């Protein structure tokens, strides 16, 4: 699942993107309204985090165009403009939520998860494959109630496969869901992530497995005896 971050304060943008990725999402970042428009033409985004004041204008004015490009997108505005009337203006302009800077990253992630659960953007219920449970709302994996830690890339892979459990997912689709467009992806990087998760499932002996078929893709399924 990709989240678009539109923020021109580079240090803050780095902190936000890092936190989003640590929570298992893919985050793309741009500094301008024009950059956001280009990104929306390339990838589907269920949610955008939008700074108010950007180098090429007031981002509040860009929300209608963002919704035309992707009707289902949720928008959280993050701004230093904290007056009540400014928050009202942002919400009336179409933002789903409005946070003022500075905002604790843990609260920001909670707001992101809450926004994704709202009507029109409900997350799917937990997926059960063998004894493995992947909670799509909380973005964590467990076996018989015990939470299993995975690295961010591994969580993103599991998320992409769990959403389509029992179906093959093409490698290109996995690449788009796991890596941001500005990531320097090395050859065979995806293969290595798949291999690590596959081995972890084997070690857990949880009755779930990842199978691959050349030219088709990968699938998360219940282990075949």
């Amino acid at each position: 699942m990709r989240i678009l971050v539109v923020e021109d304060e580079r240090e803050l943008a780095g902190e936000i993107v890092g936190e989003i990725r640590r929570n298992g999402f893919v985050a793309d970042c741009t500094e301008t309204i024009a950059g956001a428009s280009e990104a929306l033409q390339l990838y589907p985004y269920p949610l955008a985090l939008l700074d108010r004041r950007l180098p090429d204008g007031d981002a509040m004015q860009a929300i209608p165009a963002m919704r035309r490009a992707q009707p289902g997108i949720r928008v959280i505005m993050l701004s230093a403009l904290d007056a009540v009337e400014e928050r009202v203006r942002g919400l009336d302009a179409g933002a789903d939520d409005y946070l003022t800077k500075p905002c604790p990253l843990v609260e920001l992630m909670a707001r992101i998860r809450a926004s994704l659960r709202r009507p029109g953007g409900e997350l799917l219920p937990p997926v059960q494959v063998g004894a493995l449970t992947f909670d799509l709302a909380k973005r964590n994996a467990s076996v018989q109630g015990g939470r299993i830690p995975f690295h961010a890339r591994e969580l993103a892979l599991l998320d992409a496969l769990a959403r389509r459990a029992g179906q093959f997912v093409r490698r290109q689709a996995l690449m788009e869901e796991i890596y941001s467009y500005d990531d320097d992806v090395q050859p065979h990087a995806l293969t290595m992530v798949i291999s690590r998760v596959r081995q972890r499932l084997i070690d857990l002996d949880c009755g779930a497995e990842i199978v691959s078929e050349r030219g088709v893709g990968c699938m998360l399924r219940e282990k075949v005896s």
Side-chain angles (χ1 to χ4, degrees):
M1 183 179 292
R2 307 182 81 93
I3 293 176
L4 179 62
V5 178
V6 189
E7 171 60 68
D8 66 327
E9 295 182 33
R10 294 190 177 182
E11 183 175 351
L12 176 60
E15 293 174 357
I16 291 172
V17 167
E19 184 68 13
I20 290 172
R21 291 174 178 173
R22 280 191 292 274
N23 279 268
F25 294 92
V26 173
D28 294 330
C29 187
T30 183
E31 299 179 355
T32 62
I33 295 170
S37 297
E38 292 177 4
L40 290 168
Q41 299 302 317
L42 294 174
Y43 300 107
Y45 293 97
L47 185 142
L49 184 64
L50 192 62
D51 184 21
R52 175 75 182 273
R53 290 176 169 172
L54 294 169
D56 53 350
D58 186 339
M60 186 174 67
Q61 308 302 324
I63 295 176
M66 294 175 70
R67 289 262 163 72
R68 286 194 296 273
Q70 295 195 23
I73 194 170
R74 268 79 70 202
V75 177
I76 297 178
M77 188 158 283
L78 184 63
S79 174
L81 301 174
D82 60 356
V84 172
E85 56 268 27
E86 294 296 345
R87 297 200 298 271
V88 170
R89 287 184 64 201
L91 293 169
D92 284 346
D96 297 282
D97 201 352
Y98 191 111
L99 292 174
T100 57
K101 300 177 184 178
C103 173
L105 294 178
V106 65
E107 179 183 356
L108 177 59
M109 288 309 308
R111 298 282 188 131
I112 288 173
R113 290 191 294 268
S115 185
L116 290 171
R117 288 195 299 268
R118 289 173 188 158
E122 298 90 340
L123 296 180
L124 297 172
V127 174
Q128 185 80 35
V129 181
L132 175 73
T133 300
F134 192 85
D135 192 319
L136 294 163
K138 297 180 180 178
R139 301 182 69 78
N140 62 45
S142 61
V143 174
Q144 297 179 345
R147 185 170 174 177
I148 309 300
F150 285 92
H151 294 300
R153 296 266 193 242
E154 297 166 354
L155 275 175
L157 174 69
L158 275 173
D159 181 274
L161 293 176
R163 288 174 182 276
R164 310 167 180 88
Q167 304 174 38
F168 277 105
V169 185
R170 292 189 176 277
R171 290 181 63 90
Q172 183 59 38
L174 292 174
M175 290 287 292
E176 291 178 359
E177 293 198 33
I178 294 173
Y179 297 101
S180 303
Y181 58 62
D182 58 349
D183 281 337
D184 181 16
V185 182
Q186 299 299 315
H188 308 301
L190 177 61
T191 299
M192 293 173 65
V193 176
I194 293 170
S195 178
R196 289 199 303 268
V197 176
R198 177 184 286 124
Q199 186 59 52
R200 191 71 185 284
L201 296 180
I202 292 172
D203 294 342
L204 289 168
D205 193 23
C206 61
E209 66 178 355
I210 294 176
V211 296
S212 301
E213 186 170 325
R214 189 176 182 85
V216 179
C218 299
M219 179 200 308
L220 176 66
R221 70 180 186 186
E222 190 166 345
K223 188 175 181 179
V224 177
S225 300

